[in-house]
């Protein structure tokens, strides 16, 4: 049965090759011609834009020159506001001549040193006549302005005679405040302002001004820029052309239609137009953009005018600009396709002639294409084919052996097994008797080569810079007398060029030396050993680094507070002590407890990380020793208020005495008042310690004391951080009477939305989160019935389990460490399901999690570094734990095992003071636990 050939025949490959070559040559020609034609069109576009720039510049310069001449004539004529107001017909011929000669100027005017102004305007359009509300027959308008009086507007006919006048009450115009006034006074010649919105017309334009410094008078003329829009769109109506003012790139004129703008200029900001972002971002001279799904080309050029920095910006559709080049490219593509169709028969004929002999050889070699290494050679007439057949047979034998070795290596369970497989494979491949594999380790600038073979270990220590030849010689020297002849060692190096190990093959005496080819093959095969050694080293280093990081985190948590130092280190010790004892038990309920290497690592890591959530727990909450303590004890503030009230009693006494009061009657009253304040403060101070439970009578007294008032005269919003000031809000009027103890609204600090834990959280957390993150109210804190912690603070401490679960759940673990988050976050769960953070019955948790819970409780009870309690003895601690077992907090079988194996003594001798190691009645404790 003939074997199938490859997916495509050689003939097809050759045909495709020649076809691709022809196509590539055609495409290269098309690209070169298209590129040349495109460059020509782009250069032509630049020339057109340059011509447009020259035309626009010449027109503006011509307009500005005519206006400049007109301003000089006005200044030379001696016109002033008083003369023009009294005899307008004297100056009217000059103004009319200038406005007629400069149709681009909409007004000529002057400003006096006292802010008054005189404006002559020609109402050439219907829009201007409507804007100035001109009566019938009025063609000109003259405005006389005053900084503190309404504008007087005089309408003039074609002959310059006044027709009527009105007062514009809503206008107050001060010429001194306009940009053209001071600009002209500071320059010797004509000044040109940047484009701006005119005061009366609300349209953009330029102002040319010329000053008479002796009189403090300025003559000016306005020029609208709106007529530039027609010029901008003249050469390319399909383009988007803008005239911009640099450096802020403000639009002065455009050939586009824009909606009205708030500033009255009618021009939106450049950022509101599509396709011009590169100009704003990097001041690009040329760029490309996509607008409305089409490709556009942009270009920026400078318009040279005296005193102005103007830019002409054009955005042209690529299809429009490059239409001729694209049409030429399409014609070239059609020509190339025609050439391919004409040459294809020739290519097919040539490929068939070349591939016919090779096709016959491929059919002969098809028997091995299915990777069947049981190949049997055939008979061939030609010498070359016979040589190829022999090479194929040798290749099949080698690949078959190599495949078997790979299969065995893939089934290796660990690195040591993999090394053993490689060792046996090298023995088979080399025909040897024994293979030795050394592992290299670097330490203190030295190299230690350790031999792992049949459980025996042999070491050779060398300097780090020992040359390879000397390393090989010392390895062989240490093997003398073993009854074998050893080949020259293969030295193994990792990917960083560091010595990783060595392989030595032992042969029988009399065996021929290995050929160079076989040594090379064994060298390549030995890379499996090199890979195993390198992975083994990396795995150990990563494992050590992970454990070090975990221990550093635990040490950092302990270091946060001097009162819990060592907790995160002692709990792992006791947990592992309990787990090791349980794994050695051969009787009782724990007889079947065993952990593999991965489970031991997971338990060790979870024990070290069991309180990692305390990283985010505030220290002042963990270490809170009094009810009013936050970052400091707020009792000092309250004591100062009592001091103020006692001073008030003295002041009231002396004030009444000065008013003629009886000292024998006033003194006892002052004494009683101050003694009551002393007693009340002593009561508050005792409450602050939280050493006794509060009853209703004490709470009632607390409320009475809180209602006592004191006078505050200083603003309590001064000197606050922005966050506290935002939370408190503005202060009220002063002075103010305030309660002695208060629960203000700003004492109630809610949770940010991101820190809210909802009922459908992905971690299964059921620990109820209070409405507030913190309640700093003084009465609220002092009214805590037991201990020093409020409900919010108690949750904050308990929430370290929530943070532990969330933080550890976000890490990626190998399979054998997947239970680390569960183990670390479950040591506050109870047997009856009343624990936290998930409220899972401890009986449903792994036994190792229950071990950690017991270890955490015992360490906390016996710890001598907590500010809120004294260290308990072993007997006292076990008695409390017996009660917890009876109330179904702790695992009863683990507690029995802990007592009967006397593990508390092993722990106590290492970590507890001798005074804590009292006598323990095991039977009584088990009875109290209900066991």
């Amino acid at each position: 049965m003939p074997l199938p050939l490859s997916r495509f025949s050689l003939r097809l490959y050759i045909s495709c090759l020649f076809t691709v070559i022809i196509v590539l040559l055609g495409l290269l020609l098309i690209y070169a011609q298209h590129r040349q034609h495109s460059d020509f069109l782009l250069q032509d576009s630049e020339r057109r834009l340059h011509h447009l720039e020259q035309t626009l510049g010449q027109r503006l310069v011509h307009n500005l020159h005519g206006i400049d001449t007109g301003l000089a004539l006005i200044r030379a004529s001696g016109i002033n506001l008083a003369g023009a107001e009294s005899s307008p017909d004297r100056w009217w011929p000059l103004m009319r001549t200038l406005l007629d000669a400069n149709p681009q100027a909409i007004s000529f005017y002057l400003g006096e040193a006292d802010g008054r102004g005189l404006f002559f305007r020609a109402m050439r359009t219907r829009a201007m006549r409507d804007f100035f509300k001109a009566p019938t027959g009025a063609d000109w308008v003259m405005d006389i302005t005053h900084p503190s009086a309404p504008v007087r507007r005089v309408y003039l006919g074609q002959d310059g005679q006044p027709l009527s006048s009105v007062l514009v009450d809503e206008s107050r115009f001060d010429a001194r405040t306009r940009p053209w006034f001071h600009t002209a006074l500071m320059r010797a010649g004509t000044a040109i302002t940047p484009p701006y919105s005119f005061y009366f017309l609300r349209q953009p334009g330029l102002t040319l001004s010329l000053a008479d410094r002796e009189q403090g008078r300025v003559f000016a003329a306005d020029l609208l820029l709106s007529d530039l829009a027609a010029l901008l769109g003249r050469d390319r109506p399909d383009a988007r052309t803008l005239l911009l003012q640099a450096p802020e790139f403000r639009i002065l004129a455009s050939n586009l239609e824009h909606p009205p703008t708030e500033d009255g200029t009618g021009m939106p900001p450049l950022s509101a137009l599509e396709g011009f972002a590169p100009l704003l971002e990097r001041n690009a001279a040329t760029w490309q953009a996509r607008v409305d799904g089409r490709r556009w080309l942009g270009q920026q050029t400078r318009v040279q005018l005296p005193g102005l920095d103007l830019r002409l910006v054009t955005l042209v559709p690529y299809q429009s600009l490059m239409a001729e080049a694209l049409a030429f490219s399409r014609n070239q593509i059609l020509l190339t396709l025609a050439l391919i169709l004409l040459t294809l028969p020739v290519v097919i004929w040539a490929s068939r002639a070349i591939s016919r002999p090779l096709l016959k050889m491929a059919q002969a070699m098809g028997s091995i294409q299915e990777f069947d290494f049981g190949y049997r050679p055939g008979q061939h007439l030609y010498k070359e084919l016979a040589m190829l057949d022999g090479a194929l047979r040798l290749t099949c034998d080698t690949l078959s052996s190599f495949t078997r070795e790979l299969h065995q290596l893939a089934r290796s369970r660990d690195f040591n097994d993999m090394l053993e497989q490689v060792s046996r494979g090298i023995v088979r491949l080399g025909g040897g008797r024994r293979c030795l594999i050394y592992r290299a380790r670097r330490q203190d600038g030295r190299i230690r080569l350790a031999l792992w073979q049949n459980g025996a270990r042999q070491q050779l220590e060398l300097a780090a810079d020992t040359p390879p030849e000397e390393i090989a010689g010392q390895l062989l020297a240490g093997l003398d007398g073993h009854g074998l002849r050893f080949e020259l060692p293969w030295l193994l190096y990792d990917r960083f060029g560091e010595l990783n190990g060595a392989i030595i093959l032992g042969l029988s005496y009399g065996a021929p030396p290995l050929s160079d080819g076989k040594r090379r093959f064994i060298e390549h095969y030995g890379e499996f050993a090199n890979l195993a050694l390198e992975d083994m080293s990396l795995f150990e280093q990563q494992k050590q680094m992970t454990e070090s990081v975990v221990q550093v985190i635990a040490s950092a948590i302990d270091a946060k507070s001097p009162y819990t130092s060592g907790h995160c280190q002692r709990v792992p010790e006791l947990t592992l002590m309990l787990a090791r004892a349980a794994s050695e038990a051969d009787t009782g309920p724990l007889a079947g407890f065993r952990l593999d290497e991965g489970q031991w690592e997971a338990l060790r890591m979870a024990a070290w990380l069991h309180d990692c959530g305390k990283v985010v727990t505030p220290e002042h909450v963990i270490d809170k020793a009094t009810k009013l303590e936050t970052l400091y004890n707020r009792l000092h503030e309250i004591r100062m208020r009592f001091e103020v009230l006692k001073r008030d009693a003295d002041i009231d006494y002396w004030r009444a005495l000065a008013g003629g009061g009886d000292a024998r009657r006033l003194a006892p009253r002052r004494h009683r008042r101050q003694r009551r304040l002393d007693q009340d403060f002593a009561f508050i101070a005792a409450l602050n310690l939280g050493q006794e439970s509060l009853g209703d009578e004490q709470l009632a007294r607390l409320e009475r004391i809180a209602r006592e008032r004191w006078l505050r005269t200083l603003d309590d919003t001064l000197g606050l951080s922005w966050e506290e000031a935002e939370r408190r809000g503005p202060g009220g009027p002063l002075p103010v009477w305030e309660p002695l103890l208060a629960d203000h609204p700003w004492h109630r600090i809610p949770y940010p939305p991101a820190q809210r834990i909802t009922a459908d959280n992905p971690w299964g957390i059921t620990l109820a989160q209070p409405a507030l993150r913190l309640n700093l109210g003084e009465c609220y804190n002092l009214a805590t019935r037991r201990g020093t912690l409020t409900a919010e603070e108690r949750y904050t401490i308990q929430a370290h389990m929530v943070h532990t679960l969330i933080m550890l759940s976000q890490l990626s673990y190998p399979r054998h460490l997947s239970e680390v988050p569960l183990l670390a976050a479950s040591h506050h769960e109870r047997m009856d399901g009343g624990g936290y953070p998930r409220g899972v019955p401890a009986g449903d948790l792994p036994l190792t999690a229950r071990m950690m819970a017991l270890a955490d409780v015992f360490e906390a009870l016996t710890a001598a570094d907590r500010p809120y309690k004294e260290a308990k003895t072993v007997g006292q601690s076990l008695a409390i734990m017996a009660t917890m077992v009876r109330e179904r907090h702790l695992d009863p079988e683990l507690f029995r095992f802990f007592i009967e194996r006397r593990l508390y003594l092993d722990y106590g001798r290492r970590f507890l003071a001798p005074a804590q190691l009292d006598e323990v009645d095991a039977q009584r404790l088990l009875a109290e636990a209900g066991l």
Side-chain angles (χ1 to χ4, degrees):
M1 177 179 177
L3 295 176
L5 297 178
S6 60
R7 183 172 299 176
F8 299 107
S9 67
L10 180 61
R11 184 178 64 187
L12 180 60
Y13 283 137
I14 296 176
S15 301
C16 292
L17 176 62
F18 282 102
T19 303
V20 169
I21 292 175
I22 295 174
V23 171
L24 289 178
L25 290 176
L27 291 178
L28 182 61
L29 179 62
I30 292 172
Y31 173 76
Q33 294 180 348
H34 175 75
R35 182 67 179 269
Q36 182 180 6
H37 199 65
S38 299
D39 292 342
F40 172 77
L41 290 180
L42 288 175
Q43 293 174 3
D44 182 65
S45 177
E46 291 178 358
R47 286 193 296 269
R48 294 184 184 184
L49 290 176
H50 182 67
H51 174 71
L52 179 61
E53 171 194 340
Q54 290 181 335
T55 302
L56 177 61
Q58 291 172 359
R59 179 177 179 182
L60 287 178
V61 170
H62 174 74
N63 293 342
L64 295 178
H65 180 71
I67 297 174
D68 185 23
T69 304
L71 292 177
L73 291 174
I74 295 175
R75 184 176 66 174
S77 67
I79 187 174
N80 56 64
L81 180 61
E85 187 175 6
S86 59
S87 303
D89 54 346
R90 176 183 175 186
W91 305 106
W92 174 243
L94 174 62
M95 291 298 177
R96 177 176 179 178
T97 301
L98 292 177
L99 287 172
D100 289 340
N102 296 279
Q104 70 282 357
I106 62 171
S107 64
F108 281 90
Y109 50 93
L110 64 88
E112 296 286 357
D114 58 359
R116 295 178 300 157
L118 176 64
F119 292 79
F120 287 94
R121 294 185 181 88
M123 296 182 291
R124 301 187 180 100
T125 64
R126 171 61 63 183
M128 291 190 66
R129 296 180 61 84
D130 293 341
F131 179 83
F132 288 105
K133 301 178 181 178
T136 303
D139 294 321
W140 312 89
V141 62
M142 179 177 65
D143 284 349
I144 302 172
T145 66
H146 195 281
S148 59
V151 174
R152 180 187 172 195
R153 181 163 293 164
V154 179
Y155 299 99
L156 306 174
Q158 185 65 26
D159 55 359
Q161 296 301 317
L163 299 180
S164 62
S165 64
V166 295
L167 293 179
V168 184
D169 294 335
E170 65 275 10
S171 298
R172 298 290 191 273
F173 183 84
D174 190 340
R176 295 168 299 181
T177 63
R178 305 307 291 167
W180 49 267
F181 191 86
H182 292 288
T183 303
L185 289 176
M186 291 186 295
R187 294 190 54 168
T190 303
I192 304 177
T193 65
Y196 68 100
S197 180
F198 291 151
Y199 181 86
F200 290 101
L201 296 179
R202 304 301 181 190
Q203 295 186 36
L206 300 172
T207 296
L208 280 71
S209 54
L210 183 65
D212 184 351
R213 294 188 178 183
E214 295 181 0
Q215 301 296 328
R217 183 177 299 121
V218 176
F219 306 93
D222 288 340
L223 170 65
L224 282 176
L225 296 177
S226 58
D227 59 344
L228 296 178
L231 177 62
L232 296 180
R234 181 177 300 169
D235 282 359
R236 281 196 173 272
D238 59 337
R240 300 183 178 184
T241 307
L242 307 176
L243 181 64
L244 305 180
Q245 178 190 2
E248 65 273 11
F249 292 113
R250 174 180 170 186
I251 300 177
L252 302 180
S254 167
N255 68 338
L256 305 176
E257 294 184 0
H258 304 289
T261 57
E262 295 181 359
D263 60 0
T265 63
M267 295 296 174
L270 185 59
S271 58
L273 301 182
E274 290 186 286
F276 296 94
L279 180 63
L280 290 174
E281 294 172 357
R282 58 180 186 274
N283 193 16
T286 60
W287 69 92
Q288 296 188 17
R290 297 198 68 85
V291 180
D292 298 332
R294 293 192 299 166
R295 181 182 174 191
W296 295 65
L297 301 179
Q299 183 173 352
Q300 173 195 183
T301 56
R302 185 188 299 272
V303 178
Q304 298 293 340
L305 286 176
L308 292 176
D309 185 6
L310 302 181
R311 306 294 173 88
L312 186 64
V313 178
T314 304
L315 196 64
V316 185
Y318 180 82
Q319 293 290 342
S320 174
L321 186 65
M322 309 298 290
E324 296 181 12
L326 294 175
F328 179 78
S329 299
R330 285 193 295 269
N331 294 334
Q332 292 296 319
I333 293 174
L334 295 176
L335 181 61
T336 302
L337 292 177
L339 180 62
I340 293 174
L341 293 176
L342 291 176
T343 58
L344 189 58
V346 178
V347 171
I348 294 175
W349 176 84
S351 63
R352 179 179 299 175
I354 295 173
S355 63
R356 185 178 295 111
L358 296 177
L359 179 60
K360 293 180 180 179
M361 295 181 62
Q363 291 173 348
M365 297 172 60
S367 58
I368 63 172
Q369 291 186 357
E370 296 295 329
F371 292 95
D372 181 7
F373 300 123
Y375 168 73
R376 296 187 180 186
Q379 298 295 325
H380 299 283
L381 179 63
Y382 302 105
K383 176 181 177 181
E384 289 78 5
L385 291 178
M387 294 174 61
L388 179 61
D389 185 78
L392 290 175
R393 181 181 59 209
L394 179 61
T395 301
C396 287
D397 293 342
T398 304
L399 289 175
S400 178
S401 175
F402 194 70
T403 302
R404 287 193 299 270
E405 298 293 338
L406 287 178
H407 179 68
Q408 293 176 359
L409 289 174
R411 299 182 63 183
S412 299
R413 292 174 295 177
D414 54 28
F415 295 122
N416 290 326
D417 187 41
M418 186 176 182
L419 290 175
E420 186 65 28
Q421 294 285 350
V422 172
S423 176
R424 289 197 295 265
I426 292 177
V427 169
R428 286 193 299 270
L429 291 172
R433 300 285 302 277
R434 186 182 182 190
C435 178
L436 305 178
I437 299 179
Y438 289 82
R439 180 183 180 188
R441 293 185 179 180
R442 291 181 175 268
Q443 185 175 357
D444 301 330
R446 308 281 293 176
I447 298 177
R448 290 179 174 85
L449 286 168
L451 171 65
W452 294 84
Q453 194 73 15
N454 298 327
R457 182 170 181 175
Q458 178 181 344
Q459 285 193 356
L460 176 65
E461 186 169 333
L462 303 168
D465 57 350
T466 304
E469 297 80 6
E470 186 176 343
I471 295 175
Q474 294 196 32
L475 286 172
L476 291 176
L479 297 175
D480 290 344
H482 283 73
L484 296 173
R485 182 182 64 81
F486 291 95
E487 283 283 320
L488 190 66
W490 288 271
L491 300 183
L492 306 176
Y493 293 89
D494 62 17
R495 67 198 69 185
F496 305 108
E498 300 288 344
L499 183 64
N500 201 29
I503 297 176
I504 302 178
L505 177 63
L507 303 174
S508 301
Y509 279 106
L514 298 178
S515 65
D516 292 342
K518 186 165 288 190
R519 281 191 61 86
R520 285 194 299 270
F521 186 80
I522 293 177
E523 179 181 1
H524 295 316
Y525 186 82
E527 290 299 322
F528 288 110
N530 193 17
L531 178 63
L533 291 173
E534 185 175 359
D535 288 348
M536 184 186 302
S537 177
L538 291 175
F539 181 78
E540 291 178 354
Q541 293 174 15
Q542 290 178 354
K543 184 177 179 181
Q544 292 172 1
M545 184 187 70
T546 301
E547 292 182 355
S548 300
V549 170
V550 168
Q551 293 178 13
V552 166
I553 293 174
S555 300
I557 296 170
D558 285 341
K560 280 187 61 179
S561 170
Y563 305 119
T564 60
S565 60
H567 172 77
C568 291
Q569 302 177 33
R570 293 190 292 265
V571 169
E573 293 290 340
L574 183 54
T575 301
L576 295 175
M577 186 185 300
L578 184 58
R580 281 191 292 267
S583 64
E584 296 171 358
D586 51 8
T587 60
L590 304 182
F593 176 77
R594 296 294 184 273
L595 297 177
D596 58 28
E597 183 178 354
Q599 291 172 322
W600 277 112
E601 184 180 356
L603 178 60
R604 183 165 50 252
M605 182 177 293
W608 277 98
L609 292 174
H610 78 285
D611 271 349
C612 69
K614 286 184 178 178
V615 169
V616 299
T617 304
E619 297 175 34
H620 70 271
V621 177
I622 297 178
D623 304 337
K624 188 178 182 183
T626 62
K627 296 181 179 181
L628 291 174
E629 187 170 340
T630 52
L631 295 178
Y632 71 101
N633 194 341
R634 293 181 293 158
L635 182 66
H636 305 305
E637 295 183 10
I638 295 175
R639 182 176 62 248
M640 185 56 63
R641 298 174 198 165
F642 275 93
E643 293 285 1
V644 170
L645 291 178
K646 291 183 68 176
R647 298 299 185 275
D648 289 347
D650 287 332
I651 294 172
D652 292 344
Y653 168 77
W654 291 108
R655 183 178 294 157
L657 195 64
D662 185 2
R664 290 175 298 177
R665 182 176 59 83
L666 295 172
R669 184 167 61 185
R670 178 186 64 173
H671 177 70
R672 287 192 303 272
R673 182 179 176 186
Q674 292 181 340
R675 182 175 61 183
R676 178 175 60 79
L677 290 172
D678 290 339
Q679 293 172 350
D680 288 345
F681 177 73
F683 172 73
I684 295 298
L687 287 186
N688 187 42
L689 296 177
Q691 297 177 348
E692 298 180 0
S693 299
L694 297 187
D696 295 339
E697 182 179 350
Q698 292 170 306
L699 292 177
R701 183 178 179 184
L702 174 64
E703 293 178 2
R704 178 188 61 78
I705 296 173
R707 288 193 297 269
E708 186 82 26
R709 297 198 305 163
W710 66 288
L711 184 64
R712 178 172 60 84
T713 61
L714 297 177
D715 188 351
D716 61 352
T717 63
L718 299 178
L720 303 182
S721 67
W722 69 267
E723 184 180 13
E724 185 178 2
E726 185 179 81
R727 190 170 66 246
R728 291 173 67 100
L734 296 174
V736 61
W737 288 95
E738 290 193 346
L740 188 58
L741 302 172
D743 291 341
H744 293 294
W746 58 81
H747 285 152
R748 299 167 59 85
I749 304 175
Y751 278 96
Q755 297 182 13
R756 274 288 172 195
I757 297 180
T758 59
D760 58 347
N761 65 86
W763 307 282
I765 297 170
T766 60
L767 180 63
Q769 189 179 52
L772 299 178
R773 181 171 65 88
L774 204 59
N775 191 332
L776 301 177
E778 296 164 345
C779 293
Y780 179 78
N781 279 261
L782 288 171
T784 303
R785 289 185 176 269
R786 295 184 59 184
T788 62
L789 297 176
T790 63
E792 291 79 10
E793 292 166 340
R794 193 171 301 279
Y795 173 80
T796 298
I797 292 180
Q798 292 177 340
H800 79 276
M801 280 292 89
V802 173
H803 298 303
T804 296
L805 179 59
I806 294 176
M807 290 165 58
L808 295 183
S809 297
Q810 293 174 346
L811 299 178
S812 298
Y813 300 92
R815 182 181 303 175
H816 68 284
L817 298 180
S818 59
E819 287 193 347
V820 167
L822 172 66
L823 297 177
S826 300
H827 62 276
H828 283 290
E829 301 290 358
R830 293 171 29 168
M831 293 296 294
D832 60 359
Y836 61 90
R838 299 187 302 135
V840 178
D844 296 340
L845 296 174
L847 184 60
T848 49
R850 288 174 268 165
M851 291 179 180
M852 200 182 307
L854 187 143
D856 186 74
V857 172
F858 185 75
E859 192 284 332
L861 292 173
T862 56
D865 51 9
R866 307 297 171 90
Y868 47 81
K869 72 173 188 66
E870 296 181 354
K872 299 186 182 299
T873 65
V874 171
Q876 293 171 336
S877 301
L878 293 176
I880 295 174
M881 293 173 67
T883 303
M884 297 176 69
V885 171
R886 188 176 63 252
E887 295 176 352
R888 301 193 64 203
H889 290 193
L890 298 176
D891 188 300
E893 295 301 333
L894 276 179
F895 181 72
R896 182 196 297 274
F897 184 79
F898 189 68
I899 297 295
E900 293 178 347
R901 291 298 181 97
R902 300 169 65 85
L903 297 177
Y904 53 85
L905 286 181
D906 297 336
Y907 175 83
R909 294 189 187 101
R910 292 182 57 188
F911 299 105
L912 301 183
Q916 292 180 264
L917 301 177
D918 55 352
E919 292 294 329
V920 174
D921 187 347
Q923 296 301 323
R924 181 179 60 83
L925 288 173
L926 294 176
E928 290 179 358
L931 302 176

